[in-house]
Amino acid sequence: MSETKTYKLPIGPVHVGLKEPITAWLDIEGEHIKDAVIRPGAIHRGVEFMARERNPIQVIYLAERVCGICSFSHAIAFVKAVEDAAQIEVPIRAQYIRSMVLELERIHSHILWSGVACYTIGFDSAFHLGMMLREKVMDVLEALSGNRVNYAVTTVGGVRWDVTPAVERTVMDMIHYYRNEFASFYEAAINDPVVKARLRDVGVLTTEQAIKYCALGPTSRGSGVRADVRWSAPYDAYCDIHVEPVVPQDYTGEVHGDVYDRFLVRVYEVLQSLDILEKIMEGLPEGPITFEPKVNKLLTVLKKAEGVGYGCIEAPRGDDTHAVGLKAQQENVQWWKVRAPTYSNAVSWPLMFKDNELADAPLIINSIDPCISCMERMVLSDTSSGTKSVVTKADLLKLCREKTDKTRRLMGA
Amino acid sequence: MLDPMDCFIDREKVVKTPQELAEHLQGVFGDDLSYVDLRDFSEGSSGEVTSNHLWMTIGKTRLLDFVDELGKFDFPNFHVVSGDDDGDHISLYYHFDLYRAVERGVSLHVTVCVHVPKDDLTVDSLFSRIPGVEYSEREIQEMFGVDHIGLPNKALVFLPDDWNREVFPWRRDETAPGEGLVEDLS
């Protein structure tokens, strides 16, 4: 009988193709995760510090580059904070366009996540299907703004691009396309018995933990917390269009708070976003799209503003909070604070890791939809002998996939 | 003994209007509350008020009591701590919201500001009440040098391990990053 050893296993910090590198130090005994400590900050870029050298309009460009997927959410949360501090009213048409882009971004983000989750467990056909479906919404974003990632749609007091009849048609086409095609993806993914067996009861976060650790968005809703800023404190077009939080108990009658529930929430939110988009397009009011189209005039207004502003919106991963301090007679932003959803959700990671298997670690990391898409490499260190060996992303992925295969064989599927 | 902030899912939430809550808090904290502002927001075409934000400033020693008082109505969902170096003190803004899972349009954002004087850079940690504050308090500690009393893990969050711990990136005084640390910001 060999004695039990605890290994410290860092996952991260450097991963391929992501915006927010993070290290998870796992204490593992054999295949079981006993404890976890999270160490973010591998590439803290100090955007908040950089903002002090820029005026609010210039900071929009920084805000958009906080994240590559929910770039619009950050820009909107920032301009909302500035509008709050400077007491600027946004025309209703601009509010609708903002909500429209937010919903497009949610569809994009959720489909991307669902596809990657399928890839992680070795369900490659669903992954490719997901990636193919995602292209459609990217086309719509490109038709609207000319860009696929940083859309540069918003500005303080409104939006910069109007919805032309041609864009309107592309959006309606997209809604029609997803209503027909998305079903095949979610049928394949969430109704597959192997997927269900693989995701059920993995990385559990209870309802009470989700509240205490202030989890957000699909992570908290997956744990049964009925919370959604679009519902609890509606803004923009959501004041006219009612949105209900998507929680698993409404669909399956029970809450597990596991990866499967988080998956389910995101899938149903895509369908919900299609309904919201349809209502936005139907009710799109006429009128101006910005409070002040001339940037110089706008900057003069902002230069007079004094005070602290706050913006909080529901981004794809949870609520995105920005606070900004403006000082009168000063062109630049005095201070700015960005709180991305992962910042809050990562606090819950150690709870999700506890008592799971190492092969589930990639799945759990992915389940909060962090700004982490791939795991590059990690170092296995044996604390008793002091030796280190490198485990690559491919090895870890192999472990995760092998567990799926094993599940499949056991189920005879 | 029951944790004073224990959040039970089925616990009855005491829903108050923003005005009622502001008056209640003013009654409880009296002179310790120095600034009260209530902002309401109505967007969309309906014109109805769908979002409220209560801003307050509280004496440093009463921060924990303030959060406990909020906890009597609903578990305060913590967003983030933001702040600025205001010369002789650091202003910290704690952003919460109440009633985030009650019904449509009743959620109330609460921001409470605390002035931490530079000759005593300490403030009580909220970790014992809301464990979700951990990263934010650690960030404030490394960026401003404000010590949170009662926070179990005070390791760095965002700054690199070899960072000079006497330099605080968000300060504007002699402890701010000097010329040598700030390179090209464009």
Side-chain angles (χ1 to χ4, degrees), chain B residues 26-98:
Chain B
Q26 277 173 311
V28 173
F29 293 100
D31 291 342
D32 286 328
L33 270 188
S34 53
Y35 166 83
V36 178
D37 183 22
L38 185 58
R39 301 178 191 171
D40 54 26
F41 301 89
S42 55
E43 289 168 346
S45 54
S46 64
E48 59 171 325
V49 173
T50 49
S51 172
N52 289 283
H53 199 150
L54 188 58
W55 296 77
M56 295 181 154
T57 301
I58 186 111
K60 193 184 98 166
T61 51
R62 305 298 304 274
L63 179 65
L64 267 183
D65 297 336
F66 184 87
V67 174
D68 284 344
E69 198 61 36
L70 287 184
K72 289 181 184 167
F73 301 96
D74 185 19
F75 185 82
N77 176 48
F78 172 80
H79 286 251
V80 75
V81 188
S82 63
D84 192 23
D85 181 345
D86 279 335
D88 62 345
H89 65 268
I90 308 276
S91 304
L92 296 181
Y93 296 87
Y94 287 76
H95 303 284
F96 299 100
D97 65 44
L98 291 182

Side-chain angles (χ1 to χ4, degrees), chain A residues 20 22 37-42 44 48-50 52-54 80 83-85 92 95-96 207-217 220 225-244 307-310 312 319 321 323 327 333-339 342-344 346-347 350, chain B residues 3 5-9 39 41-48 50-53 55 75-86 93 95-97 99-107 109 111 127 129-139 143-144 153 156-161 169-172 177 182 185-186:
Chain A
E20 211 167 36
I22 203 161
V37 176
I38 309 294
R39 170 70 163 102
H44 185 66
E48 288 130 329
F49 186 84
M50 289 157 81
R52 294 178 180 185
E53 301 287 316
R54 288 164 162 82
K80 276 192 168 293
E83 286 156 5
D84 182 24
I92 297 177
Q95 295 178 16
Y96 270 66
T207 316
E208 181 154 340
Q209 285 170 337
I211 295 176
K212 274 194 149 180
Y213 286 79
C214 305
L216 308 168
S220 68
V225 183
R226 208 176 283 275
D228 188 323
V229 187
R230 295 174 294 169
W231 168 77
S232 62
Y235 50 92
D236 293 347
Y238 308 117
C239 293
D240 299 335
I241 297 160
H242 290 215
V243 179
E244 285 293 319
V308 181
Y310 176 85
C312 177
D319 62 69
T321 304
K327 233 181 183 147
V333 166
Q334 175 75 4
W335 59 268
W336 175 40
K337 178 80 200 92
V338 180
R339 204 291 319 269
T342 306
Y343 187 112
S344 285
V347 183
Chain B
D3 182 342
M5 293 289 279
D6 223 350
C7 61
F8 352 104
I9 311 315
R39 301 178 191 171
F41 301 89
S42 55
E43 289 168 346
S45 54
S46 64
E48 59 171 325
T50 49
S51 172
N52 289 283
H53 199 150
W55 296 77
F75 185 82
N77 176 48
F78 172 80
H79 286 251
V80 75
V81 188
S82 63
D84 192 23
D85 181 345
D86 279 335
Y93 296 87
H95 303 284
F96 299 100
D97 65 44
Y99 316 130
R100 74 162 177 160
V102 177
E103 60 183 275
R104 185 177 183 272
V106 304
S107 171
H109 294 298
T111 294
F127 186 81
R129 314 296 201 269
I130 310 168
V133 299
E134 186 184 339
Y135 285 179
S136 214
E137 291 195 344
R138 280 164 65 186
E139 185 185 28
M143 299 297 182
F144 282 125
N153 183 355
L156 291 171
V157 189
F158 294 115
L159 295 178
D161 289 325
W170 291 353
R171 291 270 281 269
R172 295 173 195 275
V182 183
L185 284 184
S186 61

Side-chain angles (χ1 to χ4, degrees), chain A residues 370-395:
Chain A
C371 292
I372 296 172
S373 42
C374 297
M375 263 157 281
E376 165 80 307
R377 68 199 276 274
M378 58 189 197
V379 179
L380 253 177
S381 58
D382 184 338
T383 42
S384 59
S385 68
T387 55
K388 285 184 177 180
S389 57
V390 172
V391 182
T392 62
K393 170 203 160 201
D395 296 337

